[in-house]
Amino acid sequence: MPRASKKQLSKTIYEELDDHFSYLISSLQSPNDIDIFFNDFLSAEEKTMLTKRLMLHLMLESGYQTPAIKAVLGMSFETIRVHRNIWGKGGKTYKAMLQKLVKREKAKLFWKKVESILKPLNLALHAESDMKARAKLLNRNYD
């Protein structure tokens, strides 16, 4: 994944760049402008990284546990642990924005897809002590 340069900027320069970046992002008016900007500004790898990070935080906000997040997003336990800490330190505005995304109508389809990915995992977890779960798992009947 992309990494920031190890060469440090002066605090003044960093703050000025941060201000410019915030201004630029806040000035994007339409979803189309935002999409065009990020498609031109970010590499495919950076866009994937940020998208997966957002999904990780949304899954944490929705109460998903580490094994489920790992199964859906293919992230390491360490990445999930680090971001669980970041997510946990998020302020009220950050949490409100995540909740807004979690409740978004389009997100409901995403959560259904997440649950369909997790059904085999849940059956596998219960298969040792539940014959019905074991039979469903063996027959690939995940409903």
Side-chain angles (χ1 to χ4, degrees), residues 24-63:
L24 176 94
I25 299 303
S26 67
S27 69
L28 295 170
Q29 295 296 313
S30 72
N32 189 51
D33 288 347
I34 294 166
D35 197 43
I36 289 169
F37 172 77
F38 280 113
N39 282 333
D40 289 344
F41 184 69
L42 299 173
S43 69
E45 189 175 29
E46 289 167 329
K47 194 168 180 183
T48 299
M49 178 186 67
L50 291 172
T51 302
K52 286 177 75 173
R53 184 177 297 175
L54 176 60
M55 289 300 111
L56 166 60
H57 287 234
L58 289 172
M59 290 181 80
L60 290 168
E61 189 68 23
S62 296

Side-chain angles (χ1 to χ4, degrees), residues 40-97:
D40 289 344
F41 184 69
L42 299 173
S43 69
E45 189 175 29
E46 289 167 329
K47 194 168 180 183
T48 299
M49 178 186 67
L50 291 172
T51 302
K52 286 177 75 173
R53 184 177 297 175
L54 176 60
M55 289 300 111
L56 166 60
H57 287 234
L58 289 172
M59 290 181 80
L60 290 168
E61 189 68 23
S62 296
Y64 286 91
Q65 298 300 309
T66 300
I69 295 168
K70 183 178 182 348
V72 172
L73 298 177
M75 292 179 159
S76 71
F77 287 114
E78 180 62 13
T79 298
I80 297 167
R81 184 191 68 76
V82 166
H83 283 282
R84 184 180 295 281
N85 288 335
I86 292 168
W87 165 80
K89 293 175 184 174
K92 289 180 184 178
T93 302
Y94 173 71
K95 295 288 182 140
M97 293 307 296

